[in-house]
Amino acid sequence: NCAAMTDVDACEKDPSTAWAVNATAPATLARYVREHDCHLVQLSTDYVFDGERGAYRPDDVPNPRGAYALSKHGGEQAVRAIAPTQRFAIARPAVVFGWPAVAAKNNFGSWLVGALGAGKPVKLFSDQGVSPTHASNVAEMVAEASKGTAAVQNAMNTAAATAEEITHRLAAVRQGTQEAVGRGVEAVHG
């Protein structure tokens, strides 16, 4: 289930819609799985964790903060409670990046490079650890989860960094320089 309300700011503005899409809809799918003996891979997010340290393991205890994180965690809990144990998997992608981006929606990396390349300032958290993940790695992890081999997978790479650090690394790789991009980055402590 890739359907989700993923715009964190929009979730904060409209938490009831975030809950309906990110928690209630997965519960409905989990009921379908229970009744029709099929398999569900529920995509969640690393935001179910608080970002205090990054590089989370699947069995680490979630600590969601904010409407988006709470709604995604609610979806996870609904799937766990309703779907039979061997009939679901939960995959938690984190800060997905890669090129080319899908035309309809940027991923974090393509949005960031595009915004900075256009000279737009961006605000990024500098005190929250995340584990950025290339889109191809997420696809491989989700494909593996669809085989029914794991109940929960953190579909993320293991190295942790702040969004500000990721910005400089992506800029260096994509544009060959950090200095030009660094002028447009504003760190936000959250």
Side-chain angles (χ1 to χ4, degrees):
N1 174 29
C2 297
M5 184 173 177
T6 60
D7 182 325
V8 176
D9 293 334
C11 289
E12 292 301 322
K13 291 176 186 168
D14 190 358
S16 60
T17 298
W19 189 265
V21 174
N22 295 338
T24 305
T28 301
L29 291 172
R31 281 190 286 282
Y32 185 90
V33 165
R34 184 180 63 207
E35 295 167 6
H36 294 91
D37 193 35
C38 53
H39 190 78
L40 171 65
V41 177
Q42 175 63 36
L43 268 73
S44 187
T45 177
D46 66 320
Y47 275 60
V48 298
F49 301 113
D50 56 22
E52 294 285 324
R53 65 177 173 85
Y56 291 97
R57 296 181 317 270
D59 60 343
D60 284 334
V61 177
N63 186 22
R65 296 182 180 174
Y68 172 66
L70 288 166
S71 68
K72 293 299 280 183
H73 186 248
E76 283 190 16
Q77 297 297 23
V79 168
R80 287 174 187 252
I82 298 169
T85 303
Q86 298 302 313
R87 305 307 304 162
F88 75 88
I90 296 169
R92 297 175 176 144
V95 190
V96 179
F97 68 96
W99 291 270
V102 176
K105 181 164 174 44
N106 278 326
N107 59 56
F108 176 76
S110 61
W111 164 79
L112 183 63
V113 169
L116 294 173
K120 296 177 183 176
V122 296
K123 291 184 180 183
L124 300 168
F125 289 99
S126 62
D127 59 349
Q128 178 184 17
V130 296
S131 299
T133 308
H134 194 274
S136 64
N137 295 123
V138 174
E140 290 170 10
M141 291 177 206
V142 170
E144 185 64 27
S146 71
K147 296 176 183 176
T149 56
V152 178
Q153 284 187 337
N154 288 343
M156 58 187 77
N157 295 335
T158 56
T162 67
E164 185 180 19
E165 291 168 336
I166 295 166
T167 300
H168 290 289
R169 290 177 187 166
L170 280 174
V173 169
R174 186 72 174 159
Q175 299 177 346
T177 179
Q178 287 183 305
E179 291 76 22
V181 173
R183 290 189 299 264
V185 177
E186 178 181 342
V188 177
H189 298 280

